[in-house]
Amino acid sequence: MQPVLADSVRLTDDGVLILDRREFPFERNWLLCRTAEDVARAIEDMVTQSSGPYFAVLYGMVLKARTLEGKPFADARAELARTAAELENTRRTNNALRKATEIVLEHVDAAKDITQALKGAEEGDRRYRAKSQALGEHTANLLPQHASVLTHCWADLYLTETVRAAQNQGKQLRFFCTETRPYLQGARLTAETLIEMGVDTTLITDGMGAAVLQSGEVDALVTAADRVTMDGHVVNKVGTLGLAVAAHAFGVPFHALVQAPDRQAPTARDVPIEHRDGSEVLHVRGRPSATPRVKGLYPAFDVTPPRFVTDVVTDKGVYGAGELDKYYEGEQR
């Protein structure tokens, strides 16, 4: 069965349909974005998360290109580039959005034809899914036959392809999911997807991770990564760092999943960390969870140093955190 989140962004004649993950799985509502600006707003407002923004940006570029048909190519290309920058800036920590705009622009430039944005988006969609499948197979190979996995804020294709590959290998999986405050992505997205795939799943609060790692019940800590720098720093949903440190302390391997390390981020200093409105941590699903007299702080991502990272799993294979240059061996810049 195809999990719902694996196909949660769809291009239509009317616009881009995006499954509203803020309400999932309790409600399954689709938001219709008629313009690229609507797509950007949906990403900023957390309507879509995990790999959802990547697909939303691909097809947001197509929406913009549709409005530019008939204009002189140079003018249309300049406008599309401005839209690309606006879409990339919606979630600056994750470089997947830049990759989405780049592949669309590459197709447009190669043909000198703005209508080729659609072919670029389709190729970006196909490529991302193929790389996720390869990454999932490499990850499954690292897991023992009866694997007990702790994860944090991990949903979508990296997750589904890893689970699918492990199941095809006859491995029996068990997952512990952190709830992932304040949006509860782990509770609502990751756990629901695992259950849809028939996986034994246990939910824990964010503060329980170290205790579960200490218990000896966990074979591996596995998370996606929003970005991995060339020197092996793993940038992911805030809370990953604490789990990685605890995993290191208790001898549990930490496998971080990313399609490719980012050549444009040699070090962690090259990655902008998104800070969201601190008031978001004072609420859970729209209801206050603290007095409004207290201040909130919400760095949306943290950075795990390479000494706490066992390895980085990519579409090309598994690399130590200190050997990520090998991913690009034989490639020209």
Side-chain angles (χ1 to χ4, degrees):
M1 180 180 70
Q2 176 83 331
V4 174
L5 294 184
D7 184 27
S8 62
V9 179
R10 302 170 183 172
L11 179 68
T12 71
D13 290 341
D14 296 324
V16 176
L17 279 172
I18 302 177
L19 179 67
D20 192 338
R21 300 189 183 208
R22 298 168 301 183
E23 305 299 329
F24 185 88
F26 311 109
E27 297 179 22
R28 304 195 177 191
N29 298 321
W30 292 79
L31 177 69
L32 176 61
C33 297
R34 296 185 181 276
T35 67
E37 291 75 19
D38 290 344
V39 171
R41 194 173 307 111
I43 296 172
E44 289 175 340
D45 292 346
M46 301 290 281
V47 173
T48 185
Q49 303 150 30
S50 298
S51 62
Y54 171 84
F55 295 102
V57 166
L58 284 177
Y59 295 115
M61 291 284 283
V62 175
L63 294 187
K64 183 61 177 181
R66 287 176 177 175
T67 70
L68 301 173
E69 294 178 17
K71 287 192 173 185
F73 177 75
D75 295 341
R77 173 61 170 78
E79 284 196 45
L80 189 60
R82 285 192 289 272
T83 294
E86 292 167 1
L87 289 168
E88 290 170 20
N89 283 331
T90 57
R91 304 299 304 274
R92 296 186 304 136
T93 300
N94 190 323
N95 66 316
L97 305 192
R98 186 185 74 232
K99 293 179 180 178
T101 61
E102 284 177 350
I103 193 168
V104 172
L105 291 173
E106 285 170 6
H107 277 69
V108 166
D109 291 343
K112 295 290 188 291
D113 182 356
I114 207 73
T115 66
Q116 292 301 301
L118 176 58
K119 287 193 178 297
E122 291 172 340
E123 173 61 16
D125 188 311
R126 185 203 64 77
R127 189 181 299 179
Y128 191 95
R129 293 180 188 277
K131 287 177 175 287
S132 296
Q133 182 177 359
L135 180 154
E137 291 171 355
H138 294 309
T139 307
N141 291 337
L142 296 173
L143 301 177
Q145 186 65 32
H146 297 277
S148 182
V149 177
L150 172 64
T151 192
H152 180 64
C153 194
W154 182 32
D156 273 349
L157 294 178
Y158 292 6
L159 174 67
T160 59
E161 294 300 336
T162 295
V163 170
R164 202 184 319 276
Q167 290 174 334
N168 289 341
Q169 294 175 13
K171 293 181 176 179
Q172 295 182 359
L173 303 180
R174 178 189 182 202
F175 271 81
F176 291 96
C177 299
T178 57
E179 61 185 357
T180 323
R181 284 269 287 130
Y183 276 89
L184 302 177
Q185 295 104 315
R188 297 183 301 99
L189 309 181
T190 311
E192 178 70 14
T193 296
L194 288 166
I195 291 297
E196 286 182 10
M197 299 190 76
V199 176
D200 182 344
T201 305
T202 300
L203 183 67
I204 62 173
T205 68
D206 290 356
M208 297 177 184
V212 172
L213 287 162
Q214 185 185 44
S215 72
E217 293 186 75
V218 176
D219 297 304
L221 169 65
V222 183
T223 73
D226 284 83
R227 199 182 311 204
V228 175
T229 65
M230 293 306 298
D231 65 352
H233 286 81
V234 171
V235 184
N236 193 45
K237 177 67 180 180
V238 67
T240 303
L241 170 59
L243 293 174
V245 171
H248 181 78
F250 297 116
V252 177
F254 172 32
H255 309 301
L257 280 55
V258 72
Q259 289 188 5
D262 184 14
R263 274 179 161 173
Q264 296 189 29
T267 72
R269 292 187 297 275
D270 300 298
V271 181
I273 300 300
E274 177 186 357
H275 280 69
R276 296 186 64 83
D277 190 332
S279 65
E280 294 182 31
V281 306
L282 307 182
H283 298 80
V284 177
R285 292 183 49 76
R287 300 190 63 178
S289 58
T291 172
R293 293 174 293 175
V294 70
K295 292 182 292 185
L297 175 67
Y298 187 6
F301 303 88
D302 58 27
V303 182
T304 300
R307 67 182 180 275
F308 300 117
V309 181
T310 305
D311 47 49
V312 177
V313 188
T314 73
D315 68 305
K316 292 184 179 180
V318 183
Y319 300 89
E323 57 179 18
L324 293 174
D325 282 339
K326 294 181 179 178
Y327 180 92
Y328 293 104
E329 283 184 353
E331 293 187 20
Q332 293 188 355
R333 286 186 176 271

